[in-house]
Amino acid sequence: MVFGPRGAAEIEEQVAALEAAGGRSYHLQARDFTDMVSTCDAFAAALGFPGYFGRNWDALVDCLDDLHGHHTGGVGIVVVVHGADLLLDSADLKVLLASLCLAADRANTEVDPDGCPRDVPVVIEHFVFLLDQVAAERFAVRIEDPDLVVETGAGFLTVTLNLAVWRP
């Protein structure tokens, strides 16, 4: 996942390239992420999660892992979160990012969490957090966690799952 400034050419080009290849983009507003339930509701509404969606972090991971077909265009998705500055002081920031990283890792893997081959194609999932005024680097300290790898540079911040922790 990437944090970067709104209007960054690099981000706009990557989103456009994914869409041109048949992938899908979904747009959410950080102002809707006031707590776990509202965050889950925002994802559910934007991505059309099924009615049985549990509205918790584990269920978010599961539903993002289950996206296929019309959700992804058979290529992949990018979820763009606008106004992400609002998340800097969120109590749920680390768990949200860890959940999204875990969902992307699962969707991008050819085996399920039990190590069995999946019967669905791999799906590439990207999450982009667009910032209006806050520098991306300010998020680095707030999301420092052994479960995550956080890197900064050139005005962007990337967050990935720490595979040494998750797949020892």
Side-chain angles (χ1 to χ4, degrees):
M1 93 185 50
V2 174
F3 284 75
R6 177 176 40 96
E10 299 93 327
I11 292 173
E12 291 178 358
E13 290 167 5
Q14 291 296 319
V15 171
L18 178 73
E19 291 173 335
R24 306 278 192 268
S25 62
Y26 298 91
H27 296 264
L28 290 86
Q29 298 295 325
R31 69 175 175 261
D32 297 330
F33 294 11
T34 56
D35 58 23
M36 178 188 64
V37 172
S38 65
T39 301
C40 288
D41 285 346
F43 273 88
L47 284 97
F49 288 172
Y52 59 80
F53 173 56
R55 298 169 70 209
N56 61 59
W57 300 122
D58 291 334
L60 179 64
V61 170
D62 290 343
C63 281
L64 287 169
D65 180 30
D66 287 341
L67 295 180
H68 302 287
H70 73 280
H71 285 102
T72 68
V75 175
I77 67 164
V78 60
V79 175
V80 180
V81 178
H82 299 269
D85 307 60
L86 297 174
L87 301 175
L88 184 61
D89 295 321
S90 169
D92 292 329
L93 182 61
K94 282 185 194 180
V95 69
L96 168 64
L97 299 182
S99 296
L100 297 179
C101 284
L102 183 56
D105 180 64
R106 280 192 188 172
N108 297 343
T109 304
E110 293 181 345
V111 295
D112 67 19
D114 296 322
C116 299
R118 295 169 62 112
D119 59 354
V120 293
V122 169
V123 174
I124 305 302
E125 294 181 354
H126 305 279
F127 300 95
V128 175
F129 292 80
L130 296 179
L131 302 167
D132 294 320
Q133 296 178 352
V134 175
E137 293 83 359
R138 287 199 45 209
F139 279 83
V141 173
R142 290 279 296 127
I143 56 181
E144 205 171 273
D145 189 277
D147 287 340
L148 303 171
V149 175
V150 179
E151 297 178 353
T152 60
F156 295 93
L157 177 130
T158 61
V159 182
T160 56
L161 197 60
N162 184 345
L163 297 180
V165 171
W166 284 90
R167 293 190 206 152

